[in-house]
Every structure is written in C-alpha cells, then in structure tokens.
Amino acid sequence: MKDKRILYVSSEVIPYLPETELSSTAFNVAKFAHSKGVQTRIFMPRFGVINERRHQLHEVIRLSGMNLIINDMDMPLIIKVASIPKERMQVYFIDNDEYFKRKAIYTDEDDKLFNDNDERMIFFAKGVVETVKKLNWAPDIIHVHGWMASLLPLYLKEYYKEEPLFTDSKIVTSLYSNEFQGELNSELINKVKFDKIDNSSIAHLETPTQENILRNAVLNSDAVIKGSNEYSPEFEQFINDSGVMVLDYQSEEYLTEAYLDFYKENVLELQDS
C-alpha cells in the first residue's frame, strides 16, 4: 500500500468534532494508513462549531473562489486547510457561509434537521470533487464516511463520470446506523435531477431517510464496510442482495489493520466492469 493514494471524505473527524463512532473511525483509519506510507487527504465540512483559531484553519486562496451551482443557485466555495498535530496529515474543509457558518452541525436548537441539509450534501460532494480536481490528485481509493458525505459515490459515478482524474478510483463507503431520524427535505431528489442525473440512479432518494440515502451510496460504491454493529433487518438484507463487496463490522482493536488489508487484498484487485 506504500505510496497508494487514499482520499478520506467524512462528515465528521476528530479532533475537529466530538468523538463518535464515525469521527473516530474516519480519523483512526486515515492515521493508520498514513503511518504505513499511504498518501492521504482528508476532507470534511467546515461546520461553524469548529474552532478555527484553536485548530489553525486557514483559507487556501488558490483553491477557493469558484462557484458551485446548487439547484440553479451560485454558491461560493471556500477551501480551508489544517494539519492534525503530530500526524503531518492535511485536512481540507469545504466551506460556504450560507451552508456551514451556523453554530450547529445537522439540527437546530429544537433538534430538528436543517431544511437545507439536502443542499449541504450536494454542495459538499461537488466541493470535494472540484477541490481534488484543482489539486490534480488522482486517488486510488475514495473512502466515504457518514450520511452527509454519502452523495459523493452517486456524483462520482454519474455527474463526474467523464472526469479522467477518477477513472481508476475505487469507491468504498462505510455505513453507520442511526445517524439521524426522520427524513431530509423531500426536494432532494429534484435537486439531484437538476444536475441531469438519471432517474433510475436515484429512485431511493424519493423518500430521503438515512437508510435510503445509504442504499443509494451502496449501489454507487465498489465496496462497502459495515461501520456499525447493527442495522435494521431490511437494510442488512439490502446490503447482502446488492452484490457489492462487503467488509463486516470490525471491533476497534482490529479495525485499522482490517481496513488496510481490505483495501489491499480486495478493493484494489477489483476489475473495472
């Protein structure tokens, strides 16, 4: 795996956000891969709760400045970067004042999901791809963590399918359970359709529950990892029936080595269909 390139895209990463199954797994897997000589880049949203001064975030002017079109609106893309102390690992933050400045992550003070979480997902997916294009950094593997990052597989397979930088990239999605209850904005599917993505690719987004969003991610991934220990029986059955390569849940003590072995022995061996 030495000198292979892995792009980690996560909704949450420690130490920038509180420790959860998702934020700690995304960090620890990237850290272990980096320690084994893998070239890594980490991308996450620049949520307003992240302390820029304490974590020494700074804007990268040469990467910022473009606008992303989200549902026929021009939304400025701001890129910030920081280094995780002691690890020499770079973290890139996708930012936009409209979507990420608020001092909360996914929900308001009444614990209701933000109405624009759907647009934030689309902006994050496009922002990651456009930034990696500017970096001209072709990843061997793109590993996606968390529901807010989970439109990335769809956009890579459909919206950016002609982009040569990602021709040989393999997409791995880690699946976490119980990240949010209820549904996102029902207009999500229409906003994705605005990007001329084929209807047959997005049927699961008609009812944008967490499981349906992850179903869409599974079908657009080359491999998936069970990041949690339990899912609904229906979702377990869906994973089993999907035909996508699966790594079962790993306990924390074996997780990092198991993921790296999975990349090496399974994901990188996949042939393009």
Side-chain angles (χ1 to χ4, degrees):
M1 290 296 296
K2 186 171 168 54
D3 293 328
K4 292 292 185 184
R5 293 178 170 187
I6 303 181
L7 174 64
Y8 290 94
V9 184
S10 183
S11 308
E12 305 168 24
V13 180
I14 57 171
Y16 304 104
L17 290 175
E19 185 166 350
T20 61
E21 184 175 57
L22 165 59
S23 64
S24 59
T25 298
F27 168 74
N28 287 324
V29 172
K31 175 185 172 183
F32 184 75
H34 183 73
S35 74
K36 296 299 181 182
V38 176
Q39 295 183 43
T40 61
R41 297 284 188 277
I42 302 173
F43 278 71
M44 67 179 292
R46 206 292 295 176
F47 294 113
V49 296
I50 295 171
N51 188 314
E52 292 200 9
R53 182 175 295 177
R54 183 167 75 236
H55 294 297
Q56 299 183 330
L57 273 67
H58 61 273
E59 185 175 350
V60 187
I61 302 298
R62 69 182 179 88
L63 297 177
S64 302
M66 74 179 92
N67 281 4
L68 304 180
I69 298 174
I70 310 296
N71 197 34
D72 206 23
M73 295 182 298
D74 277 357
M75 305 301 289
L77 173 63
I78 302 166
I79 307 298
K80 295 175 180 173
V81 70
S83 292
I84 295 179
K86 302 178 185 176
E87 307 300 339
R88 293 186 176 178
M89 291 167 58
Q90 283 198 310
V91 181
Y92 291 83
F93 297 82
I94 301 298
D95 198 5
N96 169 273
D97 286 348
E98 183 75 22
Y99 290 139
F100 297 114
K101 195 171 186 178
R102 66 199 72 163
K103 296 292 184 182
I105 301 178
Y106 310 123
T107 57
D108 63 19
E109 60 271 17
D110 298 320
D111 210 28
K112 291 183 179 177
L113 288 163
F114 289 124
N115 194 51
D116 65 352
N117 275 336
D118 57 338
E119 293 181 10
R120 298 166 93 207
M121 291 176 72
I122 296 170
F123 185 88
F124 184 50
K126 287 184 171 182
V128 168
V129 176
E130 295 296 344
T131 305
V132 175
K133 283 168 61 179
K134 276 201 168 184
L135 291 169
N136 197 31
W137 196 79
D140 297 290
I141 293 172
I142 300 167
H143 191 163
V144 178
H145 298 260
W147 68 266
M148 187 162 276
S150 62
L151 284 183
L152 185 59
L154 171 68
Y155 271 76
L156 284 166
K157 294 287 187 180
E158 296 293 334
Y159 189 76
Y160 291 102
K161 61 186 174 185
E162 304 299 332
E163 175 52 56
L165 197 69
F166 304 104
T167 298
D168 298 322
S169 301
K170 302 301 180 191
I171 303 171
V172 178
T173 297
S174 281
L175 308 169
Y176 300 89
S177 59
N178 300 320
E179 285 193 89
F180 74 83
Q181 304 298 317
E183 297 178 15
L184 299 187
N185 190 322
S186 61
E187 285 298 302
L188 170 62
I189 191 167
N190 292 323
K191 293 168 186 177
V192 172
K193 284 179 182 177
F194 176 83
D195 288 325
K196 296 180 171 55
I197 292 177
D198 186 76
N199 287 8
S200 63
S201 304
I202 55 176
H204 289 293
L205 301 182
E206 188 76 52
T207 305
T209 61
Q210 185 203 319
E211 282 195 0
N212 279 342
I213 289 168
L214 293 183
R215 282 182 171 92
N216 182 269
V218 169
L219 295 177
N220 287 284
S221 298
D222 297 295
V224 297
I225 295 174
K226 293 182 178 179
S228 298
N229 201 18
E230 270 186 35
Y231 307 94
S232 71
E234 296 81 11
F235 191 59
E236 283 275 11
Q237 191 62 51
F238 176 83
I239 297 170
N240 293 337
D241 293 344
S242 69
V244 175
M245 182 182 295
V246 179
L247 175 66
D248 284 329
Y249 176 77
Q250 303 291 315
S251 61
E252 192 174 347
E253 59 191 309
Y254 303 117
L255 182 147
T256 52
E257 289 192 12
Y259 282 30
L260 209 64
D261 287 343
F262 185 61
Y263 297 153
K264 181 181 178 181
E265 296 171 13
N266 301 95
V267 178
L268 292 174
E269 297 302 313
L270 286 169
Q271 297 298 310
D272 290 313
S273 56

